[in-house]
Amino acid sequence: MNTNKGFRLSKLTLVALLVIGFGLLPAIQRDVAATGLNEEKQLVPLQPIIDQADAGEEIHLEAGRYSGPVVITKPLTLIGDTAVTVHNEQEQAAISIQASDVKLEGFRVEHNGRQPAAAVQITGSNSEVAELTIRSKGAGLLLRDAASAVIQDNTIEWAGTSTTPSSQKGNGIDLYNSANSRIEGNTIHGMLDGIYLENSRYAVVNDNRFIRTRYGIHCMYIDGSSVTNNTGEENMTGAMIMGVKNTVVSGNIFRKQSTNVHSQGILLYDVHRSKVQNNTIEGNRVGMNIAESSGNEIHDNGLIRNFVGIQIVLAEGNQFTKNRFISNVIDASAMDSKDNILKENYWDSFQGLDLNQDGISELSHAINPFYEQLVSRNAAYQLFFQSPGMVFLSELHSEGKNKWTTDESPQMSIENTELSGTPGTEGTNVKTRSSLVWMIGLLLLGFSTSTMIYMGVWRK
């Protein structure tokens, strides 16, 4: 009896506590809101801290979350670390730099304002932005008429959903009319274009990485600049170089640009008197697309395992020397392009003849334009790319062969050259793959022979 009474008492007590608890819940919620325990109440206004600082002062931000947007109108250095976050929900730049000689370093920026608003916008000269981690639903860094900027070692990521259309995204780093800028060591993921430069002369774009953008690097109307040692993967295009002259594109690695029918490692369009050299272009739909460009030097590039190695259209007077075409489905295609000089390139699909053992074939290698001409008339023929029938027809096509783009002195081997950016490994890698293929082939042949013998004996 005592036990049952105790049990009933416990149940009554529990019910009472639940009633009291639910009754007090609204009051507790009001108290939480009133005491500022929600996230927004924890934000510390950053603008007053900047306004109170003297010109030229170095501000070290304490760990915490600060609210934007803020405007900097005097020379300042703003330093933080990964425990410092500037958060912005407004449809304007989280941080707007309107003065010269401003430096930002080391902290995080969360920018939820939509494109075209940027996490950081710079209109002053001699600015430096280093080691920031930016997550943006608009643009990352915008520079407008901002000369001599240094943008280095930043991480810029798209903060919206992965299904957001490209038209609603901003660029990672976007320069307009901003000369003598240096952009180095940045990693940009998921933005519209990784780095976009327009009308910005003498820019240095070096050692940056671009992942899943539209164009990793997009250059429009620049002069005297360099695009070097950058890496792009799974973008629609690695480097889109347009309306450019006197520029160097060197030492870059562009892999797996194949998500779109227009994907390519490097596109040169209306490019003149520039150098494209020592790049590794691997696993793209089109390795290098050269259109309406002239007077360029295309030298010592590795075009490896692309759908089409190089595509040349309406390009004249360019020099292609010592490039390496390895394991592409189609090494090259050329159409309406004259006076280009091709020499000492290596074509792994070409069977040459080296009588004097100087490493150069006495036979020339002509680029068959059949496929390019066919597709230009009807794009649907791409469906038959590299089909037996297409290959057969291509081999039959010889009309106007004396006008085809031709390498007059192809290389016979690629030993002691580079593959995928690793010096001195190309010949070794090709030999290793060749040996492996032979070993696998011999094993399959032995297995097939044994099977046939066994089945023949068993049937008897």
Side-chain angles (χ1 to χ4, degrees):
M1 294 292 293
N2 291 338
T3 303
N4 292 337
K5 287 182 178 180
F7 178 73
R8 287 197 296 271
L9 181 61
S10 298
K11 288 175 65 177
L12 290 172
T13 303
L14 179 59
V15 171
L17 289 173
L18 287 173
V19 171
I20 293 171
F22 281 115
L24 292 175
L25 184 59
I28 294 172
Q29 290 175 331
R30 288 194 298 271
D31 289 341
V32 168
T35 54
L37 292 180
N38 60 16
E39 182 178 356
E40 293 302 318
K41 294 292 184 178
Q42 290 181 334
L43 294 175
V44 177
L46 182 56
Q47 188 67 59
I49 297 174
I50 291 171
D51 292 341
Q52 293 167 15
D54 296 327
E57 185 174 338
E58 187 172 285
I59 302 172
H60 288 263
L61 295 173
E62 296 181 358
R65 294 175 60 81
Y66 297 82
S67 62
V70 297
V71 178
I72 301 175
T73 57
K74 53 193 169 187
L76 279 179
T77 297
L78 197 62
I79 298 176
D81 56 27
T82 55
V84 174
T85 299
V86 177
H87 182 86
N88 181 49
E89 294 285 342
Q90 303 300 315
E91 300 296 332
Q92 63 190 86
I95 301 174
S96 178
I97 299 175
Q98 299 178 4
S100 297
D101 302 305
V102 173
K103 179 178 180 180
L104 308 179
E105 181 182 329
F107 52 89
R108 299 172 59 87
V109 180
E110 296 175 352
H111 175 62
N112 290 333
R114 292 171 297 181
Q115 198 271 342
V120 179
Q121 179 160 333
I122 302 171
T123 54
S125 297
N126 301 312
S127 298
E128 181 175 348
V129 179
E131 300 179 20
L132 296 190
T133 299
I134 295 173
R135 287 182 53 79
S136 177
K137 291 183 179 179
L141 294 167
L142 291 185
L143 289 83
R144 298 292 183 264
D145 302 305
S148 303
V150 176
I151 311 296
Q152 63 182 13
D153 299 327
N154 302 286
T155 299
I156 302 172
E157 297 180 349
W158 173 247
T161 63
S162 59
T163 57
T164 302
S166 294
S167 60
Q168 296 181 20
K169 295 182 178 181
N171 297 320
I173 299 173
D174 186 316
L175 281 72
Y176 181 81
N177 198 32
S178 298
N180 299 297
S181 296
R182 181 158 55 90
I183 306 170
E184 294 186 311
N186 303 283
T187 298
I188 302 171
H189 189 287
M191 305 298 291
L192 178 60
D193 293 345
I195 296 176
Y196 177 85
L197 296 88
E198 183 176 352
N199 197 34
S200 297
R201 293 168 171 79
Y202 313 117
V204 174
V205 181
N206 179 61
D207 196 28
N208 303 283
R209 187 180 182 207
F210 317 101
I211 306 167
R212 296 180 184 174
T213 66
R214 183 183 65 168
Y215 308 143
I217 303 170
H218 191 176
C219 300
M220 297 280 290
Y221 314 116
I222 65 173
D223 189 358
S225 299
S226 63
V227 177
T228 57
N229 304 316
N230 302 284
T231 302
E233 296 181 4
E234 299 182 22
N235 308 287
M236 192 173 87
T237 292
M240 178 77 73
I241 314 295
M242 305 176 69
V244 168
K245 55 187 178 181
N246 303 313
T247 290
V248 174
V249 180
S250 176
N252 304 287
I253 300 174
F254 296 114
R255 293 191 175 103
K256 300 179 183 178
Q257 272 66 226
S258 57
T259 58
N260 188 281
V261 293
H262 302 296
S263 289
Q264 54 236 315
I266 297 176
L267 170 67
L268 305 182
Y269 180 83
D270 189 25
V271 175
H272 308 279
R273 301 186 303 279
S274 296
K275 294 183 179 181
V276 182
Q277 59 192 23
N278 302 313
N279 300 286
T280 297
I281 308 167
E282 181 177 3
N284 307 285
R285 186 182 183 279
V286 174
M288 192 180 298
N289 190 347
I290 302 170
E292 300 186 34
S293 299
S294 63
N296 302 295
E297 296 180 21
I298 318 297
H299 173 73
D300 200 25
N301 300 286
L303 295 123
I304 307 154
R305 291 183 283 274
N306 302 287
F307 203 55
V308 178
I310 281 185
Q311 187 170 293
I312 307 169
V313 180
L314 296 171
E316 301 179 356
N318 302 287
Q319 292 189 18
F320 299 82
T321 58
K322 296 187 176 180
N323 301 289
R324 302 171 301 283
F325 296 82
I326 301 168
S327 300
N328 302 289
V329 179
I330 290 179
D331 282 334
S333 65
M335 189 174 68
D336 298 328
S337 298
K338 61 183 181 179
D339 299 327
N340 294 298
I341 297 173
L342 280 74
K343 60 182 181 180
E344 298 184 17
N345 302 286
Y346 174 78
W347 313 82
D348 70 344
S349 61
F350 172 65
Q351 299 297 319
L353 182 64
D354 184 8
L355 296 175
N356 59 7
Q357 301 297 309
D358 65 350
I360 302 296
S361 173
E362 275 74 50
L363 299 177
S364 62
H365 177 50
I367 298 174
N368 193 330
F370 174 78
Y371 176 75
E372 189 70 33
Q373 291 174 352
L374 194 65
V375 170
S376 68
R377 294 170 189 157
N378 191 334
Y381 283 119
Q382 293 181 81
L383 295 172
F384 302 102
F385 178 79
Q386 206 62 11
S387 66
M390 186 71 76
V391 173
F392 177 73
L393 291 172
S394 179
E395 290 175 351
L396 290 178
H397 178 72
S398 59
E399 182 182 351
K401 191 170 184 178
N402 61 324
K403 296 181 180 180
W404 291 0
T405 301
T406 301
D407 189 332
E408 299 294 346
S409 52
Q411 283 191 25
M412 292 294 294
S413 68
I414 51 171
E415 294 184 13
N416 302 319
T417 58
E418 298 181 6
L419 174 66
S420 300
T422 305
T425 62
E426 189 168 278
T428 302
N429 287 346
V430 172
K431 286 180 178 179
T432 301
R433 287 194 298 272
S434 179
S435 299
L436 182 60
V437 169
W438 272 102
M439 289 175 64
I440 294 172
L442 289 171
L443 287 171
L444 289 173
L445 178 61
F447 177 76
S448 300
T449 302
S450 301
T451 302
M452 287 188 289
I453 292 172
Y454 173 78
M455 292 298 292
V457 171
W458 181 77
R459 285 180 179 176
K460 291 180 181 180

